[in-house]
Amino acid sequence: MMSSLFPGLLDARYLFWLLKGFGLTLQLSLITIVLATLLGLLVAAAREQRWLAAPCVVYLSVMRNTPLLVQLFFWYFGAASLVPEAWMVWLNTPKSLLGVPWPSFEWLAALFGLTLYSAAFIAEEIRAGIRGVGRGQRAAAAALGLTGWQAFRWVILPQALRIARGPLFGQYMNVVKNSSLAMAIGLAELSYASRQVETETLKTFQAFGVATLLYMFAVVLVQTAGRRRAV
Amino acid sequence: MKTSRGLIFALLALAAGVAQADKLDDIKKAGVLRVAVFDANPPFGFVDGKNKNIIGYDVDVANAIAKKLGVKVELHPTNPANRIPLLTSNKVDLIAANFTITDERAKTVDFSVPYFATGQKFIAKKGLLKQPDDIAKLRIGADKGTVQEITLREKYPNATVVSYDDTPLAFAALRNGNVQAITQDDAKLIGLLARVPDKAKYEVSSFALTQEYQGIGIGKGETRLVALVNETLVDLEQTQQAGKIYDKWFGPKSEAPLPRGAFKIGQR
């Protein structure tokens, strides 16, 4: 074994734990990014409608003005205690849907909480993008005979997304980093795995060092994806 | 000569010391058994709110030993760090203070047979955990970075272990139904359980993953005293007294109910 030659290194078994955690971090982050972007678009669009603006403002301020950790605790511990007991049993029983293993309740709560939180920030980035599109664009679209929705979909939004692209990818990097808070609700992602490896090996520097490198790798990946699309 | 006279005195004193080394006779002569007990560790030893006496499980055991000797008992309040020094400096004759038997301590003191057992146990809904094999099928909550978490994963690699930052959070997850059981030291578990409003729904498992034993601490080499203490303890079990004392402090009607399990005094 490498570890017996170099006692400072982590055993292969523990590196595997960290990689497994990293896989979960990537998976959770990617799905959150997709769902939060869709929800963010909806909220940004809804905010432009007069009668939907007020509920959107409430949602945005609640999500953006409270700590994510508290929100995760709320969904996992708080909201879960309001759900009927039979549902919790069903949610926590291992099963598979169409061959795909049903995810754990920790995973669902983390995805739900992280998506709602991130969508609020993404919605605001998109709205900033929409505001950045010249007023004349909407008027010109109307003059061409486009309806309000058509103007938004085909004229405003493409330009808004172009403006918002940089900040949006910044938010995506935040999603990767914020996913680490899911360890507080027992999700075995990368941070959780690094704590576990540290407990078992007492190799503090190595455990957290490897986790840090993996997070950096993931964030750089998101960053590069953002750059490439900008070309 | 001064030195040789001093030496003789020293030798005489030593001889006297050896002759007196039998603590059992000393106790009987003095008519008092001095016992170190906890005064802030319910239900093992704590101050009674009403009359300010020290009471508890360990105190009852100490009283039984004094009764056997036919002497009065004198309780000396102590804490974990002071237990052994009190005994080695001859301030007390026995330690009865939730004193866990370890190889390390056995180098300094002698132990009686075990009269109490603690261990890593579980809290689950009543009737869910009957035998250790039930664990493998469940989702179990643990505390991150504890010995209990490691032991659980080592002994039950197939169980789903979900770790939380501390025991109250793990307990919240249990009450929500996110996990079906949580694991910790049984003393900690009964403390947790005592405070929750719906405690009637839960119970502490009767089996333990790891077992630790508590014994009476006795001065090194006091074989006759050790034998008498052992005899008293085994008698307590045989006359059904042990179960009664246990139920008084840990029984279903006590403040901190804890199933006694299969443990009997003197067994390992």
Side-chain angles (χ1 to χ4, degrees):
Chain A
M1 289 304 290
M2 289 279 283
S3 53
S4 51
L5 270 176
F6 305 99
L9 290 183
L10 287 175
D11 218 31
R13 180 158 72 105
Y14 299 118
L15 284 176
F16 176 71
W17 286 10
L18 288 171
L19 284 177
K20 222 172 123 185
F22 184 55
L24 196 57
T25 292
L26 283 185
Q27 181 208 40
L28 178 69
S29 305
L30 278 178
I31 300 178
T32 301
I33 286 170
V34 171
L35 293 181
T37 307
L38 292 175
L39 184 62
L41 273 170
L42 274 177
V43 172
R47 249 207 98 160
E48 299 298 305
Q49 313 297 318
R50 216 165 281 151
W51 64 94
L52 281 174
C56 285
V57 170
V58 172
Y59 161 75
L60 289 172
S61 49
V62 167
M63 288 297 144
R64 281 157 43 101
N65 296 334
T66 53
L68 175 58
L69 184 63
V70 174
Q71 291 184 24
L72 289 177
F73 278 151
F74 176 77
W75 297 122
Y76 185 74
F77 290 113
S81 63
L82 302 177
V83 172
E85 211 174 303
W87 292 21
M88 287 307 295
V89 172
W90 186 82
L91 279 169
N92 279 304
T93 323
K95 54 184 145 307
S96 64
L97 283 180
L98 309 166
V100 183
W102 180 255
S104 67
F105 184 68
E106 286 77 37
W107 191 88
L108 288 174
L111 179 69
F112 190 75
L114 207 53
T115 299
L116 279 186
Y117 178 82
S118 312
F121 288 90
I122 287 171
E124 287 295 82
E125 302 295 5
I126 293 172
R127 195 169 77 95
I130 291 172
R131 286 283 155 102
V133 180
R135 284 182 178 210
Q137 296 284 323
R138 196 180 281 267
L144 285 171
L146 297 181
T147 63
W149 164 250
Q150 284 173 328
F152 178 72
R153 170 68 188 83
W154 301 107
V155 179
I156 313 292
L157 191 61
Q159 297 182 72
L161 286 182
R162 179 173 283 260
I163 298 170
R165 186 177 289 136
L168 265 184
F169 274 87
Q171 291 300 337
Y172 294 163
M173 288 181 225
N174 279 344
V175 170
V176 176
K177 292 184 281 178
N178 287 342
S179 71
S180 65
L181 287 176
M183 82 163 173
I185 57 168
L187 185 73
E189 44 68 68
L190 181 53
S191 301
Y192 181 103
S194 63
R195 284 257 308 248
Q196 221 161 34
V197 169
E198 199 271 339
T199 305
E200 295 230 350
T201 60
L202 300 176
K203 291 178 182 165
T204 314
F205 179 81
Q206 293 88 326
F208 294 128
V210 172
T212 306
L213 286 178
L214 288 173
Y215 273 118
M216 275 169 64
F217 175 67
V219 168
V220 166
L221 222 62
V222 174
Q223 214 170 16
T224 340
R227 282 224 186 94
R228 222 179 245 167
R229 295 187 72 197
V231 172
Chain B
M1 295 210 167
K2 254 190 181 170
T3 43
S4 61
R5 195 182 292 165
L7 205 74
I8 288 165
F9 271 123
L11 280 173
L12 274 174
L14 204 69
V18 169
Q20 277 177 4
D22 206 289
K23 194 76 148 272
L24 186 56
D25 295 333
D26 288 355
I27 295 167
K28 280 186 173 159
K29 201 187 290 170
V32 173
L33 176 69
R34 301 166 303 165
V35 189
V37 293
F38 282 143
D39 60 351
N41 192 355
F44 293 100
F46 59 103
V47 176
D48 183 7
K50 273 178 246 154
N51 51 21
K52 309 294 174 214
N53 286 335
I54 300 179
I55 55 169
Y57 178 81
D58 285 335
V59 177
D60 285 356
V61 173
N63 282 331
I65 297 167
K67 201 172 146 195
K68 178 91 172 178
L69 281 162
V71 296
K72 281 194 298 183
V73 77
E74 188 181 297
L75 299 176
H76 290 244
T78 184
N79 58 38
N82 278 347
R83 288 178 294 195
I84 297 179
L86 274 178
L87 186 69
T88 50
S89 64
N90 198 25
K91 298 279 193 302
V92 298
D93 307 311
L94 300 175
I95 302 172
N98 195 19
F99 197 40
T100 302
I101 302 173
T102 67
D103 293 342
E104 197 56 39
R105 286 172 181 165
K107 288 175 192 162
T108 331
V109 300
D110 280 349
F111 281 102
S112 72
V113 293
Y115 70 99
F116 197 82
T118 58
Q120 180 180 350
K121 290 192 178 171
F122 299 84
I123 293 184
K125 282 245 170 73
K126 270 189 179 149
L128 187 67
L129 276 181
K130 291 201 180 68
Q131 59 219 22
D133 288 348
D134 294 337
I135 293 164
K137 298 171 287 195
L138 299 179
R139 286 164 62 85
I140 314 270
D143 295 7
K144 250 171 239 164
T146 53
V147 185
Q148 286 86 3
E149 182 196 5
I150 296 174
T151 313
L152 181 63
R153 224 180 300 119
E154 266 170 12
K155 293 203 171 177
Y156 294 93
N158 292 329
T160 314
V161 183
V162 186
S163 296
Y164 301 94
D165 284 339
D166 56 21
T167 325
L169 273 187
F171 197 47
L174 171 69
R175 293 177 67 207
N176 274 349
N178 296 328
V179 292
Q180 285 121 34
I182 59 169
T183 185
Q184 246 297 342
D185 233 27
D186 51 7
K188 211 171 177 185
L189 290 180
I190 54 171
L192 263 182
L193 204 52
R195 288 182 323 186
V196 298
D198 53 346
K199 62 177 170 186
K201 277 158 72 181
Y202 303 97
E203 65 182 354
V204 176
S205 67
S206 54
F207 58 85
L209 275 196
T210 55
Q211 199 72 293
E212 280 183 344
Y213 297 96
Q214 279 77 41
I216 303 283
I218 304 158
K220 198 86 193 145
E222 301 290 347
T223 40
R224 281 182 64 213
L225 187 54
V226 171
L228 181 121
V229 169
N230 283 346
E231 194 189 319
T232 314
L233 292 175
V234 173
D235 264 7
L236 282 180
E237 189 68 70
Q238 278 167 358
T239 57
Q240 315 291 321
Q241 276 290 104
K244 277 182 200 154
I245 297 178
Y246 187 91
D247 280 349
K248 181 173 161 194
W249 303 106
F250 299 97
K253 285 179 193 154
S254 67
E255 296 243 332
L258 180 68
R260 195 168 183 219
F263 175 78
K264 293 268 181 288
I265 286 179
Q267 286 178 354
R268 281 221 169 195

